Structure formats: C-alpha cells, structure tokens
Amino acid sequence: MSALLAETHQRLQDFPLSDHPMTKFSTGDNKSSSHVGDDYFLTSGDKIRFFFEEDAFSSTGNLTKPKHLAINKVGHYLHELSPGFRSATFTDLHTSIAKAVGFRDPRVLQSMVICKQPEIGGAVPPHQDSTFLYTNPPSAVGFWIALEDATVNNGCLSFARGTHRTAPVKSRFVRKLGGGTTFESVKGAQFPDNVTSGLKRISDGTNSATFSELPSAVDEAAETRNTADEEQYVIAEVKAGTLVIIHGNVRHKSERNLSGISRFIYTFHVIEGESEYDDKNWLQPPARGFSELYRKA
Ligand code: FE2
C-alpha cells in the first residue's frame, strides 16, 4: 500500500499542467458531461492521465488547490504502464478470485487510483459498474483496494444490499456518433451468467474456494426490493489494504469527502473475455487487446 501511495503522490507532483486540457472542467453547469465526453478522457484507455475534482476550480475557472490536491483520479492504464501497479494487479490472489467467481478468460480493461481528496472529494452517485463497462452478457467485476482507511468521514463506499441479484443493467454508457458520450438502454442481457452463479456458489459455501471476507449471506428480502426508493445502503468502512470485490450489477455509491483526510484507493476492473464487447463502449481496447489476468490452460 505504501509503495502504491508513494508512486501516486510522485505522479501527482510530476505530471505537467502545460498540456492538460483544464479548460474542459470550468465550463458552466454541465461540467461532468463535458469532461467525460472529451478526447482526453476517451483516449485514456492506454495512458496514465489525470482527471480533476470538479470542486477544485473557482467560478472563474482557476485551480483553488495545488494540483496534487486537486486530482480526482488517475487512469486508466496503470496496470500496464506502471510496474508497481502491474504487480499489484496480476497476482495469484486475484487470479484465484476470478476463477472462483466463474471467469473463464478474465481481462483487465481499466485501472485507476481514485483520490477522494480532502475537503473537495466528489460524491459518486448510485450506479452499477456494468453500466460503464458493458459486455453482453454483463460480466464486469471491480477489484477495489483501499490504499488508506476508508470511513464515513472521508467518503467510503456503500452498497444497496442484494442488488447484484435484483437490479438489471438497464442502461449503458456509450460513445455518441459525432463525439462525446451518452447513455442508451441495454438491448442485450441485463444480468451476468457465470459471475452470478460463481458468487452464489461462494455464498452457499459450495465452492471449493473460501473467502471469509466476502459477504456470506444473500438477503432474500432484497429479492422484492426493486426500486431505488426502497434500496437500503450498507456502509462499507474498510481499513487500508482491504480488497473489496464489486459485482457489476450491485448498486453502490460514495459520499463527498469534506474531511481533512484523503481516501486513496486503487481499483481495476475485469470482464469476461468470452462475452461480447462492442465498439459502442466509451473505453475501447488497445491494439493488443485487453490484458489477460491469467493465461488459459
Ligand atoms: Fe463503481
């Protein structure tokens, strides 16, 4: 954790502002959609790039913090371009977990450090990761590693219990013709096949692998809770070093960080290489394809 933190802090010090498209972040009310649609974002899949907190700018568009305290996240190719993050990604543990939840050909398609900076760390509204990393059928699983303690004070995750089984992936984040991004309704499968059954085997105790840290029980009452209004979010405070496995269908969120303490985490996402990944997705594979988490036998 300390090595990954040290590398991140160094990168935040070193990246130049001179060629950064900062103006993208100071344009009126629709800041987030303009930033996610721009070229700097859309072509970041095979680069290490730096994305600002929305609240790091004054009304006139100037940074209100030193740049190393103003970055929201760093992504999305740390897992290949950084030796440190590469070795933190392609591990025996992660391979075992991917096999246990049913992956046949797990591919790492993105990675990032999310900084959740002191005082200005932005909230992440409720969402499903498969909306942003859609495959048919859905297969995205997040590997989320706390580099620092994540608490209610600095914006830890919370999860809507049971929604990995009850919440279909109804919309997906896609590239728009002519530029930018938008959401469109999912026409393919809305629940995964292999990943769901793999998680169920673990929760039933019928899988040979045992991961005592995984939530052991599936809340049967959640089967009937389908609307966002009825979702009950469970706070997930974790210590630095904790690995959290996030199902692509589970609805989750995090609050703003108004505290004086940062909440750095490293996360990478895995999809099933045998699922369909089309050219609508905002993130397109590099020339060599998405990285194999492990080689098939
Ligand atoms: Fe997420």
Side-chain angles (χ1 to χ4, degrees), residues 112 114 124-125 127-130 132 142 144 157 159 246-247 250 252-253 267 269:
M112 54 194 169
I114 299 175
V124 178
H127 67 280
Q128 299 161 293
D129 287 352
S130 278
F132 297 92
W144 187 103
L157 292 172
F159 293 89
I246 304 178
H247 191 290
V250 74
H252 58 287
K253 63 178 181 175
T267 185
H269 282 84

Side-chain angles (χ1 to χ4, degrees), residues 236-253:
E237 291 187 310
V238 295
K239 291 288 185 192
T242 305
L243 168 64
V244 181
I245 310 295
I246 304 178
H247 191 290
N249 280 61
V250 74
R251 288 174 56 78
H252 58 287
K253 63 178 181 175

